[in-house]
Amino acid sequence: MTRQLHLNAFLMTVGHHEAAWRLPESDPFAHLDVQHYVRLARIAERGKLDSLFLADSPVLWNSVGHRPSGGLEPTVLLTALAGATERIGLIATASTSYNEPYNLARRFASLDHVSGGRAGWNVVTTAGPDAARNFNLDDQPAHRDRYARAAEFVDVSRKLWDSWEDDAALGDKANGVWGDDTKIHPAGHTGEYFQVAGALNVPRSPQGHPLLVQAGSSEDGKALAARYADAVFTAQQTLEDAQAFYADLKRRALAEGRDPDTVKILPGIVPAIGSTQAEALALEEELEQLIKPEYALRQLAQTLKLDPSALHLDRELPDDLPDEDEIEAAKSRYTLIVELARRERLTVRQLIGRLGGGRGHRTFAGTPEQVADAIQHWFDNGAADGFNIMAPVLPSGLEVFVDQVVPILQRRGLFRTEYTTRTLRDHYGLPRPAGVLKSSA
């Protein structure tokens, strides 16, 4: 069978562009309305996309003056969307630094049951001291410690998901036996970060394990992805960088004893789409003009670990920036931003404009044909297995992608025309984990 793209709709408030909420057609409060997300989910499902993705963090970032802030807890929201859709996958972000494995494993197993096998977990470690201070800590744990905890967290979660054998629940009315106790296996885990004694209180879910996604591109992040991830959400600006990341992660997966083809690499793309390229560029320009520079400047300074006074809108970044080794939060994104600014000799104002659309993800303005060409070029040249579609404005940006770009990809034989499977793992062509714990009977 011809290799086909995997396309994921990354949903964020009323669009990924930070100024999208200021457009006349945008509702600044839509991100608190379940029906807004129901509409988006149905649009994405109409396009036969693999999945929806919701980002999340247990902290109120930055000033609420900047853009729509605060949001619905993603597993709760996806549970509602499970009832409004039939086939599309449902991926939620959840932190390994500020949760416990038992509760989170139960939550995702429950979502997998509710959705009929469509749940996915984006495993994140959560950067930044502000989040730490919401959870009884004075500062964030060190980068390496966060990833070590994340690895053990996933190991424990997998033990919990496998703590019921598939046929443990019998429902034998005639003999009055609901389940087989010999097929229940307590986790019995004692590690550096967690002690978890019992079995999960949810039977094994349709997928066995929810799809595991990872989104960090630091060295520690890539190591975690190679070991565990079924899909990797990543950000690159150039074909060469994307090819290097793709090849590196596939090699790492092979070194972990995994089939590299079972690890799907999905860069983000922020497509501004118009009937002509001029129309697409005009949309980009309209959004860029709505950016509030004072907010964006403070946000950029925070990312770069600088005082805002060190940045001048009409100058390039200062020469004396911190080294990546000094950065404890979002290392890979820091490097991407600095390299983008240096490579293209952008002023701070220009850099703010580029980051306003996708926070470091690739932005692209063009016609539906040009967007399809850009996607296919990376796909055909060893840079991606598919893409995270990050519409700059929602719902219009997702609608035009589904209605005008997807049909082009379908005509080229690069994307499904109908769903032929029901679970998220099946959409990605991935096997269902067999379960590592078996009864001795």
Side-chain angles (χ1 to χ4, degrees):
M1 183 177 179
T2 304
R3 176 171 170 256
Q4 289 197 325
L5 285 158
H6 297 285
L7 298 177
N8 175 73
F10 182 173
L11 306 182
M12 179 172 282
T13 63
V14 291
H16 280 269
H17 198 285
E18 67 181 62
W21 68 277
R22 299 186 66 196
L23 292 172
E25 66 269 27
S26 292
D27 176 0
F29 309 107
H31 67 298
L32 302 175
D33 182 358
V34 171
Q35 291 308 310
H36 169 67
Y37 288 100
V38 167
R39 180 182 177 187
L40 295 175
R42 287 174 173 166
I43 292 168
E45 191 166 61
R46 186 175 79 228
K48 316 305 178 188
L49 271 59
D50 293 74
S51 53
L52 308 173
F53 167 54
L54 299 176
D56 191 56
S57 184
V59 64
L60 180 61
W61 289 112
N62 303 311
S63 165
V64 297
H66 182 209
R67 64 182 301 168
S69 298
L72 303 174
E73 198 282 326
T75 59
V76 172
L77 178 54
L78 290 181
T79 300
L81 297 184
T85 56
E86 295 182 356
R87 296 292 188 93
I88 195 161
L90 306 165
I91 302 172
T93 298
S95 172
T96 57
S97 297
Y98 307 116
N99 281 293
E100 289 291 321
Y102 198 95
N103 286 343
L104 208 57
R106 183 189 188 198
R107 198 180 310 161
F108 279 100
S110 298
L111 178 59
D112 206 44
H113 277 290
V114 168
S115 65
R118 294 186 282 141
W121 170 24
N122 179 37
V123 180
V124 298
T125 66
T126 307
D130 291 342
R133 291 168 190 152
N134 289 339
F135 294 89
N136 301 309
L137 297 174
D138 293 328
D139 201 355
Q140 65 181 339
H143 190 272
R144 188 167 296 276
D145 289 341
R146 294 202 310 275
Y147 277 91
R149 176 186 166 102
E152 187 177 335
F153 197 117
V154 176
D155 284 336
V156 178
S157 297
R158 297 202 303 190
K159 288 181 181 179
L160 289 166
W161 291 325
D162 289 340
S163 62
W164 291 59
E165 293 186 31
D166 284 324
D167 56 353
L170 301 173
D172 183 348
K173 294 182 180 180
N175 292 302
V177 179
W178 186 86
D180 185 344
D181 282 314
T182 68
K183 296 185 177 185
I184 303 297
H185 308 277
H189 179 89
T190 301
E192 182 178 356
Y193 297 93
F194 304 108
Q195 295 184 51
V196 180
L200 197 63
N201 58 352
V202 182
R204 200 158 193 260
S205 72
Q207 293 188 109
H209 301 172
L211 188 88
L212 292 180
V213 180
Q214 196 274 340
S217 297
S218 66
E219 288 301 304
D220 291 329
K222 288 187 286 188
L224 187 73
R227 185 173 173 186
Y228 298 108
D230 301 305
V232 181
F233 296 163
T234 183
Q236 279 86 37
Q237 288 282 328
T238 68
L239 175 66
E240 293 75 17
D241 287 347
Q243 288 170 324
F245 180 89
Y246 185 95
D248 181 38
L249 200 51
K250 298 285 185 172
R251 281 194 298 269
R252 290 171 185 255
L254 184 63
E256 290 284 346
R258 302 180 64 195
D259 178 354
D261 289 339
T262 64
V263 183
K264 309 300 183 182
I265 313 297
L266 308 177
I269 186 170
V270 187
I273 306 169
S275 58
T276 64
Q277 188 173 34
E279 185 179 298
L281 290 169
L283 172 59
E284 267 196 335
E285 176 65 21
E286 180 183 12
L287 289 165
E288 191 168 326
Q289 291 300 315
L290 292 173
I291 292 174
K292 298 274 285 187
E294 57 269 30
Y295 290 129
L297 188 70
R298 287 200 299 271
Q299 188 175 19
L300 179 61
Q302 182 179 7
T303 300
L304 298 178
K305 304 303 177 189
L306 297 174
D307 188 280
S309 64
L311 298 176
H312 302 276
L313 285 172
D314 296 310
R315 299 181 194 170
E316 295 181 25
L317 292 179
D319 294 331
D320 54 340
L321 294 176
D323 187 84
E324 184 187 307
D325 291 341
E326 303 172 43
I327 303 297
E328 280 294 334
K331 282 179 179 285
S332 58
R333 193 55 53 90
Y334 171 88
T335 301
L336 183 150
I337 290 170
V338 172
E339 288 180 351
L340 169 64
R342 301 292 196 218
R343 182 176 60 248
E344 301 189 21
R345 301 188 61 84
L346 300 175
T347 66
V348 170
R349 189 186 303 276
Q350 291 168 330
L351 180 59
I352 284 170
R354 292 287 292 275
L355 298 177
R359 304 171 306 286
H361 289 276
R362 182 188 182 199
T363 58
F364 186 90
T367 64
E369 193 85 22
Q370 289 172 324
V371 172
D373 288 345
I375 287 172
Q376 183 174 358
H377 185 59
W378 280 32
F379 181 64
D380 286 344
N381 286 280
D385 294 309
F387 285 86
N388 240 350
I389 306 304
M390 304 167 60
V393 182
L394 290 169
S396 60
L398 183 59
E399 283 183 309
V400 72
F401 183 85
V402 161
D403 293 339
Q404 298 185 35
V405 179
V406 167
I408 296 171
L409 297 172
Q410 290 170 332
R411 287 195 296 271
R412 296 177 184 181
L414 295 173
F415 192 64
R416 68 172 67 87
T417 56
E418 293 293 340
Y419 289 113
T420 58
T421 56
R422 287 198 171 272
T423 75
L424 180 52
R425 285 186 170 276
D426 286 342
H427 294 346
Y428 278 86
L430 300 175
R432 182 181 187 270
V436 296
L437 298 175
K438 298 296 180 184
S439 67
S440 58

